[in-house]
């Protein structure tokens, strides 16, 4: 039993991890036990041999090879899905829609219409209500009232009774109406008002935007 | 390492230069294959670079590096065991020959050199026959000289288990080298 205990302490003794009491006991035991002393000599020699093995040096040019492999690893595409914010995709789709709509708006003017002819007019009579919507009058001095376009800015087409809203981005010489359906707008904000005129900008859930 | 994390290639080159020897030595002692150790060392550094942003700055870099190296060496041992071609005596002898020539004492006689080389070959072979989990702990401790706490972190096991594995590995090694130890004791 005493020899077993001593052998269990071989490693700790070699690593200098014995307490003072353990060391004193261990050394006393080795001094009195030839077999354990011989065993410990063999143990320590074996560990010494392992520690004395020559070091394997890195082969010449290893550094360059590592750098070359690292560059290749960096260039290789990452197979893991990258997490991009959703707004990026949404913004990209919105931008694409705007571009397509813009192109559709501009291309017919440039090439489809022959000079001197009337441009096609899109009119949807079915959308026109037989009874005009009540006209909201702007309340003077009240912030956020129903008027969103001043009378000076708004023009009225008396034939179609559809508000023609000037827009600085487009040529307003020709009237083209576009219907966005469904577009839910707040009536109070979307109505275009002009004193003494029957103006209709919104009916139900459809908006008519004129250029 | 913080510079490496910001894609500083110069810093990475310096890191490779500083640690390539230790990694090569560790891997070659675990695998007993110089050529494979070279490939594996490259792989270790590639992984260091690829995962550079995963390195936690509070921890010791060498611990992280040895963890990667040990895991790759472990995978390689398992791959070889599967292929039943895990020990190459030729590669070992070649490796030991190279190392011996490099570190040979010029005053040493030819006979002594041969004896030393043979002894180193035996020791290397004995290490290679120790089971993998004990071998890793043994190499990290007795060849690389890592403290127990760091070995525990590298291998991801408790400190007590590290001590026990190293003790068992040393005991196995002593038994395998018994004839040589006896012979050395009598001369």
């Amino acid at each position: 039993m005493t020899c077993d205990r001593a052998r269990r302490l071989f490693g700790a003794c070699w690593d200098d991890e014995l307490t003072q009491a353990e060391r004193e006991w261990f050394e006393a035991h080795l001094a009195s036990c030839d077999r354990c002393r011989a065993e410990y000599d063999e143990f320590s020699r074996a560990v010494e041999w392992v520690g004395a093995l020559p070091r394997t040096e890195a082969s010449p040019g290893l550094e360059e090879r590592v750098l070359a492999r690292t560059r290749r690893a960096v260039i290789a595409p990452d197979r893991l899905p990258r997490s991009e914010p959703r707004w990026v995709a949404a913004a990209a789709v919105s931008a694409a829609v705007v571009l397509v709509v813009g192109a559709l708006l501009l291309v017919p003017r440039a090439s489809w219409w022959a000079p001197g002819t009337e441009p096609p007019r899109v009119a949807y009579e079915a959308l026109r209500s037989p009874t005009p919507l009540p006209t909201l009058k702007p309340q003077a001095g009240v912030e956020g009232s129903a008027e969103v376009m001043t009378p000076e800015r708004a023009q009225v087409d008396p034939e179609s009774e559809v508000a023609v809203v000037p827009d600085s981005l487009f040529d307003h010489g020709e009237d083209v109406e576009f219907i966005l359906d469904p577009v839910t707008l707040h009536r109070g904000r979307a109505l275009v008002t002009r004193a003494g005129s029957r103006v209709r900008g919104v009916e139900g859930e459809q908006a008519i935007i004129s250029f | 390492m913080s510079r490496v994390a910001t894609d500083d290639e110069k810093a990475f080159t310096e890191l490779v230069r500083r640690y390539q020897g230790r990694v090569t030595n560790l891997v070659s002692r675990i695998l007993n294959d110089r050529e494979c150790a070279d490939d594996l060392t490259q792989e270790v550094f590639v992984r260091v670079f690829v995962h550079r942003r995963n390195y936690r700055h509070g921890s010791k870099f060498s611990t992280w590096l040895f963890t990667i190296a040990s895991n790759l060496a472990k995978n390689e041992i398992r791959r070889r065991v599967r292929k039943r071609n895990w020990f190459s005596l030729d590669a070992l002898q070649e490796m030991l020959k190279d190392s011996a020539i490099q570190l040979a004492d010029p005053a040493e006689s030819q006979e002594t050199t041969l004896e030393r080389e043979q002894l180193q070959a035996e020791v290397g072979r004995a290490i290679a026959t120790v089971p993998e989990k004990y071998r890793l702990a043994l190499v990290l401790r007795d060849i690389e000289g890592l403290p127990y706490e760091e070995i525990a972190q590298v291998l991801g096991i408790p400190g007590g288990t590290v001590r026990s594995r190293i003790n068992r590995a040393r005991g196995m090694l002593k038994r395998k080298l018994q004839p040589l130890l006896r012979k050395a004791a009598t001369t």
Side-chain angles (χ1 to χ4, degrees), chain B residues 52-118:
Chain B
R52 61 196 179 282
R53 292 191 180 96
N54 296 345
Y55 169 66
R56 283 177 296 162
H57 290 277
S59 60
K60 203 172 165 186
F61 173 70
S62 61
T63 306
W64 188 59
L65 182 71
F66 284 139
T67 304
I68 296 172
S70 300
N71 286 338
L72 285 175
K74 213 173 352 183
N75 290 346
E76 179 61 22
I77 291 168
R78 287 172 187 173
R79 194 184 66 80
R80 288 179 183 205
V81 168
R82 279 200 299 274
K83 286 180 74 180
R84 298 188 180 280
N85 183 29
W86 65 288
F87 182 71
S88 162
L89 184 59
D90 291 343
L92 171 72
Q93 283 173 340
E94 189 63 29
M95 176 186 78
L96 292 173
K97 198 175 84 184
D98 287 354
S99 308
I101 289 167
Q102 211 168 20
L103 298 174
D105 180 357
E108 199 175 61
S109 74
Q110 207 173 353
E111 196 182 338
T112 317
T113 306
L114 193 67
E115 276 177 17
R116 186 172 46 77
E117 283 174 16
Q118 282 174 346

Side-chain angles (χ1 to χ4, degrees), chain A residues 11 14-15 17 39 42-43 50-51 54-57 59 62-63 65-67 69-71 74, chain B residues 9 17 25 28-29 34 38 42-43 49 103 141-142 144 148 163 167 170 173-174 178 182:
Chain A
W14 176 260
D15 291 323
E17 287 198 325
E39 288 271 340
E42 285 182 359
F43 172 89
V50 172
R55 291 194 71 82
T56 312
E57 298 300 320
S59 61
L62 182 90
E63 198 179 300
R65 290 197 295 279
V66 167
L67 289 174
R69 276 185 68 173
T70 307
R71 285 186 196 114
V74 170
Chain B
E9 193 178 301
R17 196 175 297 142
N25 190 52
S28 72
R29 286 299 171 201
R34 169 76 189 254
D38 199 64
Q42 290 180 44
E43 183 61 29
F49 191 80
L103 298 174
R141 176 67 196 168
D142 290 334
E144 283 306 316
Y148 282 108
R163 281 176 172 77
N167 267 339
R170 285 168 173 171
L173 201 68
K174 181 173 149 298
Q178 197 82 359
R182 296 262 157 88

Side-chain angles (χ1 to χ4, degrees), chain A residues 158-176:
Chain A
E159 289 181 5
S160 63
E161 297 180 348
V162 173
V164 179
V165 182
D167 190 324
S168 61
L169 292 174
F170 298 97
D171 177 14
H172 304 289
E174 297 157 335
D175 286 16
V176 181

